[in-house]
Amino acid sequence: MTNSTPEDVPGLRLETIAVAAGRPHGPGAPLNPPIVAASTFEAGGAGEYSRGDGTDSVRALEAAVAALEGGERALAFASGMAAISAVFDLLDPGARVVVPDDSYQGVATVVADGERRLGWEVMRLPTADTDAWLAAIEGSDLVWVESPSNPMMEVADVPAICAAARAAGVRCVVDNTFATPLLQRPLDLGATASVHSATKYLGGHSDLLAGVIVTDDPALALAVDHRRTYGGATIGTLEAFLTLRGLRTLPLRLGRAQANARTLAARLAEHRAVTRVRYPGLEGDPGFDLARRTLAGPGAMLSLETVGNARSADIRVSRLRLIRAATSLGAVETTIERRAKLVGQEHIPPTLLRLSVGCEHVEDLWADLDQALNGLVSDSEAER
């Protein structure tokens, strides 16, 4: 059995690649790569030990994600943070790093640790300030881009930043978790690598931990593969199987969730209990024009800020009956979280609620949000 690739059929669209890539083929082959529950294999085959060589399930997942991203090689990790850490672990002491000032909390922690222990020179720039990014690239060792950002939903000019980094010979890595390959393909724009927390949209069902790095750079692929193997960060075969199964429905899930997000964002923007909606699909949003130019769609993540204070925002969240208060994102179910309650996220507006819009009926989601937001919060409740 071998894994077929979409390249066997030229011109396939991404929706088809998500379904077709990474499948076994040949007479009698199963349509899906089976779960091979083994750590050790007899010598002479594709691999002998799964920590370094993976399994058929791992290789099939990597083939599918590489095809979706348009990359030469994908490497699957045990979590998104394992993939992220593998990239930052390549930096030497004293390295110069450019990151968003609104970077994902895990990235912010890794960068702060490198700054403290290894003397990294860190430049933290506003995601949407393209001029600042272009000015910072020369002389840097790593440019790390997240767009849209988490949870402020700011949009970076990814094509301009990647092109400038490539021209300067600087490694540029894009966290593509929010956009997914369906809305943005960083390698096509000049990025050195695209990184995913596959726990989110690629897996899509809140039932696994996984990460993926996709790159066209053989040296980078070899280096992060080394970090994965000897850091023990290889994805398990069951998690790889589940991620690939989730990937098959990514176009359907993201399409439904994005349509829901557009509707909810427009309605929330008019709600009396909402002071601001951050969503690049809304006309008037600071990232609207750039999102239309750089993304195939605004995605299914949005953030809203409510009247009152942090306590009143928590009370409104507690009144939700359908939408779950939970961290993580990108799954079929809609989740919400007040991000400023987390350590290291104190810079976020205190009433900001990050909403990961799922695949439920949009009217049911709206009814739940509306009733939770409409309920009055007394001064005594808000002060408790």
Side-chain angles (χ1 to χ4, degrees), residues 278-347:
R278 299 172 183 265
Y279 182 62
L282 276 180
E283 286 194 51
D285 185 272
F288 178 75
D289 290 334
L290 189 54
R292 285 208 304 179
R293 180 165 62 82
T294 62
L295 296 167
M301 297 295 304
L302 64 90
S303 292
L304 62 143
E305 295 170 42
T306 61
V307 298
N309 57 20
R311 174 60 181 161
S312 61
D314 285 336
I315 291 171
R316 289 187 168 98
V317 168
S318 73
R319 291 171 174 166
L320 291 165
R321 298 183 292 239
L322 173 62
I323 297 170
R324 299 298 185 94
T327 195
S328 199
L329 55 97
V332 290
E333 67 275 358
T334 300
T335 58
I336 195 167
E337 184 174 39
R338 189 174 70 80
R339 292 294 292 176
K341 71 181 182 181
L342 302 176
V343 176
Q345 301 284 280
E346 295 86 359
H347 64 287

Side-chain angles (χ1 to χ4, degrees), residues 100-101 125-133 149 154-157 161 286-287 290:
D101 60 7
L125 305 178
T127 297
D129 189 345
T130 305
D131 290 341
W133 282 86
S149 69
E154 295 184 355
V155 180
D157 193 336
I161 295 169
L290 189 54

Side-chain angles (χ1 to χ4, degrees), residues 69-70 185-191 216:
E69 284 278 12
R185 299 220 300 177
L187 298 182
D188 289 348
L189 304 175
D216 287 331

